[in-house]
Amino acid sequence: MSDEEDEYFCYICAKPETNVTRLIECVQCNKYAHFRCKKLFGNAVTRAKSKPFFCSVDCSQMSSHNIRQTTTNDDIIHELQVLGNAVKGVKHDSEKFRLLFEDTRMQIADIVSTSKQIEKSQVFLTHQFDQLTADFKSFKEEVGSVKAENSKIRKELKMWQDTCGDLVGSVDRLEVDMDNINRSAKAKNAVILGLPAMQDEDTVELVCMLCKLLNCEFVGTSVIQCARRINGKQHMNGVPPIVVQFTSEREKEELFRRKRAYGVVLASKVRDVFNGSTHTITIRDEMTAYGRDLLQQAKNLQETLKIKYVWPGRDGKILLRRQDGGKIEQISSKLQLAGLQPTNSKRVLNLSGISPPNVPQSKRM
């Protein structure tokens, strides 16, 4: 039997073979042959392995001759065959172990490669973590600085708000004082609403007719300096109001007293040509620009504050009534209007949009 570096040679095809399980050995001359070269396949291979194999007739005859002449060596031959089969099994197992070792070696190489990659990843992650730690420390320092700055800004803002509140109060008082001055210039003026307009009308004569109906003592044109229509976009029931300037405040106040004593005055009672008119006559002070603005802001808040009635009063005041039969509230400044609370509410309504118009928007409270 030839054995060079675990290679066997088939005596038929003369090719080397490292896998002994593909070969069958002659028990006489120890030559090897491929099962395929001997045309043995499937079950034929199993049967060939189960009995002694002879590569040729000569080996078979020689073996028979030796058996007949050396019957005393049968046990030795049998032991040798068993030993040969054991060697074949050892070689077969050795091949299996070699392949298993090779596979294990490759797996170990993969594990080593993976471990190196994990180690590199750990180094990278450690670096990133150190960087994040440094960034976080820097961020905490910045946050602390921002908190300190924010606290400083809050204090400054509180001081600014206090100052701004004082400024708003001062501006509100100044506007009220200016409004008092402007109203004093209009103290002799009254506005009459509800008298229908006619072509080529004499407004002074029309006012005198109203004064006569109300039984005013000063009936006559001598106490009326002028009377003119206000042709604005907004006027009562489509009828332009009339602004009347009296010679003194006394005549105007008498007109107001007589009107209150008379009660409801219909336009049809003033002049026959107004028969069929359903307009009622209303008399009020001529409003200043501040008063008109205050009235408009009160009307804008009417729904929010749940106020049912809003109308102009005397001396530049705005009158409010939240419901029928309710108490009449007087508003004389925009700051006072801003402090109103909605009906059935215990908190102050945020009416920041009602600051005086002369204060810049950024400083309104």
Side-chain angles (χ1 to χ4, degrees):
M1 179 174 60
S2 175
D3 184 6
E4 295 180 3
E5 297 181 353
D6 293 336
E7 286 187 349
Y8 307 92
F9 291 88
C10 176
Y11 76 94
I12 298 175
C13 63
K15 292 181 179 180
E17 178 61 57
T18 59
N19 190 352
V20 73
T21 60
R22 298 177 181 176
L23 302 170
I24 188 168
E25 183 182 7
C26 178
V27 297
Q28 178 61 32
C29 65
N30 300 117
K31 292 181 180 180
Y32 288 90
H34 285 112
F35 287 108
R36 64 174 180 272
C37 294
K38 295 295 292 182
K39 301 187 184 303
L40 297 174
F41 304 97
N43 293 331
V45 173
T46 304
R47 289 194 298 270
K49 288 182 176 180
S50 64
K51 57 184 180 179
F53 169 72
F54 299 98
C55 64
S56 64
V57 176
D58 292 338
C59 284
S60 177
Q61 292 177 352
M62 186 180 298
S63 175
S64 298
H65 177 73
N66 291 337
I67 290 173
R68 286 193 301 268
Q69 291 186 0
T70 59
T71 55
T72 59
N73 296 329
D74 288 344
D75 294 337
I76 297 174
I77 293 173
H78 177 70
E79 291 295 333
L80 290 174
Q81 289 177 347
V82 171
L83 181 60
N85 291 333
V87 171
K88 293 178 183 178
V90 170
K91 289 184 176 180
H92 176 67
D93 293 339
S94 177
E95 180 65 17
K96 289 174 60 178
F97 287 139
R98 187 184 66 81
L99 295 176
L100 181 61
F101 174 78
E102 184 66 23
D103 184 59
T104 303
R105 188 184 64 80
M106 294 177 65
Q107 291 181 3
I108 292 174
D110 292 338
I111 292 173
V112 170
S113 176
T114 304
S115 299
K116 291 181 179 179
Q117 293 178 1
I118 292 175
E119 184 178 356
K120 291 181 180 179
S121 300
Q122 288 178 341
V123 172
F124 174 78
L125 291 176
T126 301
H127 176 72
Q128 292 295 318
F129 179 77
D130 293 340
Q131 184 64 37
L132 288 175
T133 302
D135 293 342
F136 181 72
K137 182 178 179 181
S138 176
F139 175 74
K140 286 179 63 178
E141 293 176 354
E142 292 179 1
V143 169
S145 177
V146 170
K147 285 183 177 180
E149 186 67 22
N150 189 31
S151 177
K152 180 180 178 182
I153 291 175
R154 285 183 178 179
K155 292 180 181 179
E156 293 178 353
L157 179 61
K158 181 63 171 59
M159 296 175 58
W160 177 84
Q161 287 177 338
D162 294 340
T163 303
C164 187
D166 296 339
L167 178 61
V168 170
S170 300
V171 171
D172 186 71
R173 289 190 295 272
L174 179 61
E175 283 196 322
V176 172
D177 293 340
M178 289 297 297
D179 184 61
N180 291 334
I181 295 173
N182 293 332
R183 281 192 294 104
S184 65
K186 299 177 182 291
K188 299 182 293 184
N189 297 355
V191 177
I192 302 174
L193 301 95
L195 287 174
M198 297 182 59
Q199 189 175 4
D200 299 328
E201 66 180 355
D202 187 344
T203 52
V204 175
E205 180 183 1
L206 186 59
V207 173
C208 289
M209 295 177 68
L210 174 62
C211 294
K212 182 178 180 181
L213 176 65
L214 298 177
N215 298 319
C216 292
E217 296 177 356
F218 59 82
V219 174
T221 59
S222 60
V223 298
I224 301 176
Q225 291 186 350
C226 66
R228 57 184 177 83
R229 294 273 185 184
I230 301 177
N231 295 317
K233 294 182 179 180
Q234 299 178 352
H235 32 69
M236 184 178 179
N237 298 327
V239 178
I242 299 175
V243 177
V244 183
Q245 183 178 1
F246 295 93
T247 55
S248 68
E249 190 175 354
R250 183 181 65 84
E251 287 83 6
K252 186 192 78 168
E253 292 300 326
E254 182 181 353
L255 177 63
F256 275 92
R257 287 193 300 271
R258 295 291 182 175
K259 171 63 174 62
R260 287 194 297 269
Y262 190 93
V264 179
V265 181
L266 296 177
S268 58
K269 298 291 185 178
V270 178
R271 198 169 184 178
D272 293 338
V273 294
F274 296 154
N275 285 338
S277 173
T278 59
H279 295 300
T280 58
I281 306 301
T282 303
I283 304 175
R284 61 172 174 82
D285 291 324
E286 183 181 5
M287 300 183 70
T288 60
Y290 180 83
R292 290 192 297 270
D293 190 24
L294 185 61
L295 176 63
Q296 184 60 48
Q297 290 190 13
K299 288 183 176 180
N300 293 339
L301 294 172
Q302 190 172 355
E303 181 178 356
T304 303
L305 297 175
K306 298 180 181 180
I307 298 173
K308 191 168 185 179
Y309 304 105
V310 176
W311 71 97
R314 301 299 309 276
D315 300 325
K317 293 181 173 60
I318 304 300
L319 304 181
L320 313 175
R321 177 174 282 169
R322 298 179 185 268
Q323 56 188 359
D324 292 327
K327 180 183 177 181
I328 296 178
E329 302 176 52
Q330 296 184 0
I331 301 298
S332 57
S333 69
K334 295 177 181 177
L335 196 60
Q336 187 179 359
L337 180 62
L340 284 178
Q341 297 180 5
T343 305
N344 299 328
S345 176
K346 294 184 179 181
R347 66 181 182 85
V348 177
L349 187 66
N350 182 11
L351 305 176
S352 58
I354 313 178
S355 51
N358 294 333
V359 180
Q361 181 68 28
S362 60
K363 296 184 179 181
R364 293 184 178 181
M365 295 295 294

